[in-house]
Amino acid sequence: MHTFIALFKKETMEFNRTYKFLIVISVFMIFAIMSPLTAKFMPEILSQFLPKEVADSFPAPSALDSWAQFFKNFSQIGLFVVTLLFAGTIIHERSEGTLIILLTKGLRRSTVVLVKTIFSMLVWTVMYWAAFGVTYFYTWYYWKDENVAHLGFAVGNLWLFGLLLIAVILFGNVLFKSIYGNLLLTALFVGVWFIVSIFPKAEDFNLLRLATDGNNILKGLYDADDFNWIYVISIGLIVVLQVLTIRIFNKKSLI
């Protein structure tokens, strides 16, 4: 346990020293604030540059518009930032020789993977839900009388997809010596599910829906039962990827 805590502190210090904490906090908070502000004031801003007839045709902004911006920002740029932040979390230490020093002192490779997994997922979880809280406050402030149904369900799905993406990223960290290889693997993973989305019969198994169906959930088009198999596959895949990451890392040369 002492080793686990010490390694976790090391991850925190490294994340802070390389300004990654500053990056993720800045990006997530900007998106959290901008989501409701964009929904509230963008029609008014556009009306200054468009003909009055066109401007008058815009529907009045609503809380749903605010959350639409939230899902758009975090399912695209937010997850992209997370990918960049953790794409080299193990690769860098392998290339710099840091892990060799730690492992020769008796540190188990499985502990390294577990700590990095927990740390990465914890950063995503804390930052994501903090951003959700900020967006929730501003959305409530501007649209106090509007109640958005199924909100927790929708944002929870995107959070789960973030955990899955991190599991893929860490798996790529032990497969490749280059960050570019890891980024390619992550892009390929997302691309496969984009292809799957083309086929309507595969809808019940398309993991990408966790990140893309937030607005449809808020509109009442889906409920939790529509995601049963997606939850099973996602959680199962996270566990399988974690096991594979440890096993491959145990056999991987660090040189």
Side-chain angles (χ1 to χ4, degrees):
M1 180 59 73
H2 291 296
T3 303
F4 189 94
I5 294 174
L7 194 56
F8 195 89
K9 288 182 178 179
K10 171 187 168 298
E11 288 296 312
T12 305
M13 292 175 60
E14 180 68 18
F15 210 73
N16 186 53
R17 184 179 65 83
T18 55
Y19 303 104
K20 290 182 179 179
F21 268 130
L22 179 62
I23 293 171
V24 70
I25 291 173
S26 300
V27 172
F28 276 38
M29 289 302 106
I30 288 173
F31 284 151
I33 295 172
M34 289 303 297
S35 294
L37 292 183
T38 300
K40 178 68 175 179
F41 298 109
M42 185 57 69
E44 183 177 335
I45 294 173
L46 291 177
S47 66
Q48 304 299 317
F49 305 95
L50 296 173
K52 186 176 184 304
E53 296 78 10
V54 176
D56 291 342
S57 67
F58 290 154
S62 66
L64 283 176
D65 296 319
S66 174
W67 290 113
Q69 288 293 326
F70 177 89
F71 289 121
K72 179 181 177 181
N73 291 334
F74 283 91
S75 65
Q76 297 177 16
I77 304 176
L79 290 177
F80 179 70
V81 170
V82 168
T83 301
L84 292 180
L85 289 177
F86 297 112
T89 184
I90 296 177
I91 292 173
H92 279 153
E93 296 201 37
R94 288 169 60 190
S95 63
E96 294 173 359
T98 309
L99 285 177
I100 296 178
I101 299 173
L102 295 174
L103 294 174
T104 53
K105 293 184 177 181
L107 181 65
R108 299 180 62 179
R109 296 192 182 201
S110 59
T111 303
V112 173
V113 174
L114 288 173
V115 169
K116 288 186 176 293
T117 299
I118 293 173
F119 179 80
S120 303
M121 291 185 173
L122 187 61
V123 169
W124 160 247
T125 298
V126 172
M127 292 297 100
Y128 176 75
W129 288 107
F132 164 76
V134 172
T135 301
Y136 186 90
F137 170 78
Y138 278 99
T139 302
W140 169 84
Y141 179 80
Y142 287 118
W143 297 280
K144 292 184 177 68
D145 298 329
E146 294 189 24
N147 182 35
V148 180
H150 313 298
L151 181 58
F153 170 33
V155 296
N157 278 1
L158 182 52
W159 168 74
L160 178 60
F161 187 81
L163 297 183
L164 176 60
L165 193 67
I166 289 173
V168 174
I169 294 167
L170 291 173
F171 180 63
N173 265 274
V174 301
L175 280 184
F176 303 103
K177 292 183 178 181
S178 167
I179 292 179
Y180 299 109
N182 195 4
L183 292 176
L184 181 61
L185 173 69
T186 306
L188 184 62
F189 173 79
V190 176
V192 166
W193 295 109
F194 267 114
I195 295 174
V196 171
S197 66
I198 298 175
F199 306 97
K201 292 185 178 180
E203 182 182 48
D204 292 340
F205 309 97
N206 184 6
L207 306 188
L208 196 62
R209 290 181 59 202
L210 293 171
T212 59
D213 272 353
N215 292 332
N216 290 330
I217 291 172
L218 297 185
K219 293 175 182 177
L221 300 180
Y222 299 111
D223 56 35
D225 290 338
D226 295 314
F227 289 82
N228 285 339
W229 277 110
I230 294 177
Y231 293 147
V232 171
I233 296 172
S234 298
I235 296 172
L237 193 54
I238 290 173
V239 174
V240 169
L241 284 171
Q242 183 69 12
V243 172
L244 289 176
T245 300
I246 293 173
R247 289 191 174 184
I248 293 174
F249 191 50
N250 283 337
K251 300 177 181 179
K252 202 79 171 181
S253 171
L254 297 179
I255 302 176

